[in-house]
Amino acid sequence: ELSADAGSGYTAGNGGAPGGGCPGWMSPLAPGDVEGECQPALAAGLGMPSPLRGPPEGTSWGSRPCPSLIAASPCRSKAEMGHTCRGTINLATANITVEDSCNFIISNGGAQTYHLKASSEVERQRWVTALELAKAKAVKMLEESDDSGDESVSQTDKTELQNTLRILSSKVEDLSTCNDLIAKHGTALQRSLSELEALRLPPDSTDKIKQVNERATLFRITSNAMINACRDFMLLAQTHGKKWQKSLQQERDQRIRLEETLEQLAKQHNHLERAFRGATVLPASTASTGGSGKDLCCPAKGDLSDEDDDNNEFFDAPEIFPMPDIMGHKRTGSNISGTSSDISLDEQYKHQVEDTKKEKRTRIPYKPNYSLNLWSIMKNCIGKELSKIPMPVNFNEPLSMLQRLTEDLEYHDLLDRAARCESSLEQLCYVAAFTVSSYSTTVFRTSKPFNPLLGETFELDRLEENGYRSLCEQVSHHPPAAAHHADSKNGWTLRQEIKITSKFRGKYLSIMPLGTIHCVFHSSGHHYTWKKVTTTVHNIIVGKLWIDQSGEIEIVNHKTGDKCILKFVPYSYFSRDVARKVTGEVMDPSGKVHFVLLGTWDEKMDCYKVQLGTGDNGAEARPRAHEAEDNRVLLWKRNPLPKYAENMYYFSELALTLNAPENGTAPTDSRRRPDQRLMENGRWDEANAEKQRLEEKQRLSRKRREAEAARATEDGTPYDPYKPLWFERKKDPVTQELAHVYKGGYWESKEKQDWSLCPDIF
């Protein structure tokens, strides 16, 4: 039995009459049948007709049945319809051998072999001839045709498509050139004809007629060139159009299948999670207080969601504690429309400013319990960068990215202690602990901060209380980048420029901070640099969100050459290690380890001094350092969260004060951002509308700058691109990287209350 392979011509399948022979209805062919009817189908890669499938469209086979059947083995699934069926042989790579006068063999090198028997030697010769011709055409099709039937677009295909696009572009340019020439010569020809008609004297007509003929000849030549270019263009378009269409359809089908599969997996995960919760009885104390367990994958804080399987609706954690009356914010019973207050936002802002003059606030309005169809929003975000997706404030926390960046200074006392160290290696231990401490605020902070507007700033003046003051500015919008500078009178300076890139992968979200952090100690001149690790938010679709940090940080002292390697171990279901584990080694320029660091990025970091004996090296001494408990030094321990933090976005004591209204700040300060202020006060619907207004205002500003740049380019006049107000881009002498460095002037402007240079962004 023979079958047609839709990909590369003619193939053979198993089955048929007993004994391996051809079916009885498969009559001998006349010599003209193979060449006239069956052979074109073989060459076109369409195969021969069958009782079930019939002849290809537009092909007539006559009265005699063509010697072919469909493959006996059907496709296993719908996805195999575009590929060959089981039990088929590709003729382009097949071996056709003659066994005796009536028998011949078709094989693909060992995996599939078919023995076929004809009724006579003449019939066998006709079959072999037809198959050899079909094989030759199939090989030619593989070499020359782009429609090879391969559904997967390989790297070679992509390169070929790019080359084809370049050829088509050149053809389009040829068409454009020919069009210009035709227009030019056509105008000249028309003018010559008009002059010919105006002539009255026959002697003058000879030269004009000659000129007309010359121009007509040029016009004909140009027209022929244009026609040839059009013909080449159409030929290429026809040759590659079918493959492009197939590739596009394949991508669309694959996207649909992935979305359906992901949605189905989400529902199955949801069912399993609810079944697990139903089978697990939690103690009452656990459900009410919600301890901070180490298992990130188990529900905590009493967060028993009531997802709707059909609508895929997801809800935030229910509020357990009542809202204090002193906050001046009461939610409606539905928790949907937020608050309706007769006091305007400006008046409320001024009232809060007066309250915060005396003492720092310790509470913010509790988070409303808004319902949200998460899947309807996130299914269109797969593979995209999160900063370019318009997201409602339902996913946010009432802080901007600039304020989150300032939270790195929560454990600034580690740098104060490091500045007092005489040993550079001991100082490096405290710098490493400070690096790890910046991640402790992310344990339960699963909401994303507001993306700052271009030119937005945030200051934190703690010079009197803690000896430092900090300034952040959004220096770029695409890609989003923020510059940060902090000075301390205790002898250190911290600066960084962070670019945040993020990708939504369906079940988890990866956040990759790019940029270098610099810490310089004034007295010793020690200059440390390091980069941040990748943050991953898991269970985006269903389940309780949880955050993990993974990667490696290398902290380098550029003055002494000392180095510390910190390893953030990713969480694993099968690992026996403690969750969120961090290990580190502090070594001198020669590579000898002097201190070993051990801890977790959410709890604490310990330091062990390596005691090297005779013949010992770092690798042998590290295990013994952990065993010596009296050798342990606690470098850092996380501060406890405020009471009822689970209802206030899990903010730390520092985070609760960051967005508190404050007098004298710049007009661009994040505290003055209206959508963020509305969200903090629980008015989420108004915050969403205000967020859209601000984003549209920012888009218009960007378009205006682009238009000014385009006009300057056309006029040849100099145009200054956007420049940050308080930072300037310089090449760092240590890392040789271009980064935004604080150029000064902010605190002087604040002292004078001169904000005339600040743009209007809110």
Side-chain angles (χ1 to χ4, degrees):
E1 177 183 354
L2 300 175
S3 72
D5 177 12
S8 341
Y10 190 62
T11 56
N14 55 2
C22 296
W25 64 269
M26 194 179 292
S27 59
L29 296 174
D33 288 340
V34 172
E35 297 293 333
E37 294 180 351
C38 297
Q39 187 65 29
L42 295 172
L46 298 175
M48 294 184 177
S50 70
L52 299 182
R53 194 160 47 192
E57 184 178 354
T59 309
S60 174
W61 299 103
S63 58
R64 184 186 295 110
C66 194
S68 170
L69 285 175
I70 62 171
S73 302
C75 297
R76 285 170 290 191
S77 65
K78 199 172 182 179
E80 288 189 355
M81 291 180 62
H83 302 271
T84 59
C85 299
R86 287 181 295 169
T88 60
I89 295 178
N90 188 345
L91 264 188
T93 57
N95 296 321
I96 305 173
T97 57
V98 177
E99 197 172 28
D100 54 28
S101 60
C102 295
N103 297 325
F104 60 99
I105 301 172
I106 302 177
S107 68
N108 59 0
Q112 298 282 352
T113 303
Y114 299 104
H115 299 263
L116 302 176
K117 181 178 181 181
S119 59
S120 65
E121 185 176 353
V122 176
E123 183 183 2
R124 186 263 302 161
Q125 186 59 40
R126 288 174 178 170
W127 274 102
V128 171
T129 302
L131 292 173
E132 290 288 356
L133 289 173
K135 176 181 177 180
K137 290 185 178 294
V139 172
K140 185 178 180 181
M141 287 169 62
L142 284 178
E143 294 175 351
E144 298 179 357
S145 174
D146 290 325
D147 189 16
S148 62
D150 187 2
E151 293 293 334
S152 63
V153 182
S154 63
Q155 189 64 35
T156 305
D157 294 333
K158 292 180 180 178
T159 305
E160 187 176 354
L161 288 175
Q162 293 174 356
N163 294 334
T164 305
L165 288 174
R166 282 196 291 269
I167 295 174
L168 291 178
S169 299
S170 64
K171 293 298 180 182
V172 171
E173 293 177 359
D174 293 343
L175 289 176
S176 178
T177 304
C178 293
N179 183 50
D180 296 338
L181 290 174
I182 286 176
K184 178 180 177 182
H185 294 312
T187 303
L189 181 61
Q190 188 65 38
R191 187 168 56 250
S192 299
L193 290 174
S194 300
E195 293 174 356
L196 182 63
E197 292 176 356
L199 290 178
R200 295 182 179 180
L201 298 176
D204 298 336
S205 61
T206 304
D207 295 337
K208 293 296 182 183
I209 292 174
K210 184 178 180 181
Q211 184 180 3
V212 170
N213 290 333
E214 291 176 354
R215 296 190 182 282
T217 302
L218 289 174
F219 185 82
R220 184 175 64 254
I221 293 173
T222 307
S223 300
N224 289 335
M226 183 174 183
I227 291 172
N228 292 334
C230 290
R231 185 182 298 112
D232 294 340
F233 181 86
M234 292 300 298
L235 182 61
L236 282 171
Q238 290 174 354
T239 303
H240 296 280
K242 189 174 182 181
K243 182 173 183 178
W244 292 340
Q245 184 178 4
K246 184 183 295 184
S247 300
L248 179 61
Q249 187 60 39
Q250 179 196 0
E251 294 296 329
R252 288 175 177 171
D253 295 342
Q254 186 177 10
R255 177 185 174 89
I256 292 174
R257 286 196 300 270
L258 285 174
E259 287 184 358
E260 292 175 351
T261 303
L262 188 60
E263 188 171 5
Q264 187 65 26
L265 287 173
K267 290 183 177 181
Q268 292 176 1
H269 189 173
N270 188 29
H271 283 300
L272 289 173
E273 192 175 55
R274 297 180 68 180
F276 172 76
R277 289 173 177 172
T280 306
V281 180
L282 296 177
S285 60
T286 305
S288 60
T289 59
S292 58
K294 281 288 181 183
D295 191 356
L296 294 171
C297 305
C298 296
K301 306 291 183 294
D303 181 17
L304 301 180
S305 58
D306 298 324
E307 294 91 351
D308 185 349
D309 295 339
D310 297 328
N311 298 326
N312 282 331
E313 289 192 88
F314 301 86
F315 303 89
D316 294 323
E319 294 189 9
I320 305 173
F321 305 100
M323 180 175 297
D325 296 335
I326 61 173
M327 297 308 298
H329 166 66
K330 295 183 180 179
R331 294 178 292 107
T332 58
S334 62
N335 287 332
I336 298 299
S337 61
T339 60
S340 57
S341 176
D342 296 334
I343 304 176
S344 67
L345 184 62
D346 293 336
E347 293 176 355
Q348 189 175 9
Y349 181 86
K350 293 177 182 178
H351 179 68
Q352 291 176 340
V353 169
E354 295 174 357
D355 290 343
T356 54
K357 288 179 183 178
K358 301 177 182 178
E359 58 182 12
K360 292 181 174 59
R361 67 180 185 180
T362 59
R363 292 193 179 186
I364 61 173
Y366 283 179
K367 179 181 179 181
N369 188 15
Y370 275 77
S371 62
L372 182 68
N373 192 336
L374 185 63
W375 174 252
S376 64
I377 297 175
M378 300 302 287
K379 70 178 181 180
N380 296 320
C381 305
I382 297 175
K384 297 181 181 179
E385 187 174 345
L386 198 64
S387 61
K388 297 183 179 180
I389 301 170
M391 304 291 284
V393 299
N394 305 56
F395 292 97
N396 288 17
E397 63 180 17
L399 288 179
S400 75
M401 189 62 206
L402 303 180
Q403 291 164 318
R404 284 295 295 268
L405 203 58
T406 308
E407 281 192 73
D408 288 355
L409 299 173
E410 179 170 1
Y411 299 95
H412 60 89
D413 59 301
L414 291 172
L415 296 181
D416 295 342
R417 293 158 65 185
R420 296 191 295 267
C421 288
E422 296 181 359
S423 168
S424 62
L425 293 171
E426 292 180 6
Q427 187 179 73
L428 184 52
C429 292
Y430 284 106
V431 173
F434 174 79
T435 303
V436 176
S437 70
S438 64
Y439 296 98
S440 63
T441 60
T442 66
V443 182
F444 305 110
R445 302 274 288 279
T446 54
S447 300
K448 66 180 290 289
F450 279 80
N451 291 330
L453 304 174
L454 186 62
E456 185 175 336
T457 61
F458 178 74
E459 67 159 74
L460 186 64
D461 190 352
R462 296 292 173 87
L463 204 58
E464 295 181 2
E465 303 97 319
N466 306 116
Y468 72 88
R469 58 186 181 183
S470 163
L471 175 67
C472 291
E473 182 180 1
Q474 187 75 0
V475 295
S476 173
H477 186 62
H478 286 301
H484 179 209
H485 182 90
D487 265 320
S488 174
K489 62 183 182 182
N490 295 323
W492 53 266
T493 297
L494 183 76
R495 59 181 174 89
Q496 56 184 322
E497 180 185 346
I498 299 297
K499 299 180 181 68
I500 300 294
T501 61
S502 54
K503 290 291 184 180
F504 176 54
R505 306 295 186 183
K507 188 173 174 57
Y508 64 91
L509 172 71
S510 295
I511 302 171
M512 293 80 70
L514 307 176
T516 304
I517 306 171
H518 298 256
C519 183
V520 181
F521 292 95
H522 304 161
S523 60
S524 61
H526 292 162
H527 188 153
Y528 298 90
T529 61
W530 67 91
K531 297 178 183 289
K532 289 181 175 288
V533 295
T534 299
T535 300
T536 307
V537 184
H538 294 271
N539 289 349
I540 294 291
I541 302 301
V542 294
K544 182 174 176 62
L545 293 174
W546 59 279
I547 290 179
D548 195 19
Q549 317 286 346
S550 59
E552 188 173 289
I553 294 179
E554 182 181 70
I555 308 173
V556 180
N557 185 339
H558 292 275
K559 182 178 180 180
T560 64
D562 299 336
K563 186 184 298 183
C564 175
I565 305 296
L566 291 173
K567 294 182 180 179
F568 289 69
V569 181
Y571 180 83
S572 174
Y573 292 99
F574 309 103
S575 176
R576 295 183 178 179
D577 282 336
V578 64
R580 314 178 187 101
K581 181 179 179 181
V582 180
T583 61
E585 294 177 348
V586 176
M587 58 193 74
D588 59 21
S590 65
K592 184 165 65 175
V593 178
H594 291 263
F595 294 94
V596 174
L597 307 179
L598 184 63
T600 59
W601 52 264
D602 67 320
E603 288 289 344
K604 64 176 182 176
M605 284 295 293
D606 293 327
C607 174
Y608 298 87
K609 185 174 179 60
V610 175
Q611 303 291 342
L612 293 176
T614 305
D616 286 345
N617 55 35
E620 295 173 349
R622 286 169 214 158
R624 288 201 296 274
H626 303 333
E627 296 172 1
E629 191 63 26
D630 56 348
N631 194 29
R632 180 176 68 91
V633 176
L634 178 64
L635 295 176
W636 161 76
K637 186 175 182 181
R638 179 173 64 92
N639 297 327
L641 289 175
K643 192 176 182 181
Y644 307 148
E646 61 272 18
N647 298 321
M648 298 182 291
Y649 309 91
Y650 288 100
F651 281 180
S652 64
E653 291 183 358
L654 174 64
L656 289 173
T657 66
L658 291 179
N659 203 44
E662 187 175 315
N663 282 325
T665 58
T668 55
D669 197 89
S670 299
R671 300 174 179 89
R672 301 179 181 272
R673 182 166 174 165
D675 56 345
Q676 188 171 304
R677 181 65 57 192
L678 286 166
M679 187 210 169
E680 182 184 278
N681 292 332
R683 298 155 65 177
W684 284 15
D685 293 336
E686 299 172 55
N688 276 317
E690 190 66 17
K691 182 172 181 287
Q692 293 180 6
R693 182 190 69 82
L694 293 175
E695 291 173 348
E696 183 61 29
K697 182 177 181 179
Q698 184 172 237
R699 279 191 288 268
L700 292 176
S701 299
R702 186 178 71 250
K703 291 179 181 178
R704 185 165 54 251
R705 287 194 301 271
E706 292 173 352
E708 292 175 357
R711 283 196 299 269
T713 303
E714 293 175 358
D715 301 339
T717 58
Y719 174 77
D720 291 334
Y722 175 82
K723 293 182 180 178
L725 192 56
W726 311 110
F727 290 80
E728 59 181 348
R729 201 160 186 248
K730 289 183 177 180
K731 187 175 183 180
D732 189 89
V734 175
T735 61
Q736 302 300 314
E737 297 176 346
L738 285 173
H740 286 85
V741 181
Y742 178 60
K743 63 181 181 181
Y746 179 86
W747 303 108
E748 292 79 4
S749 297
K750 181 182 180 181
E751 185 177 354
K752 300 175 184 177
Q753 282 300 295
D754 179 15
W755 304 114
S756 57
L757 297 177
C758 293
D760 176 22
I761 60 174
F762 297 146

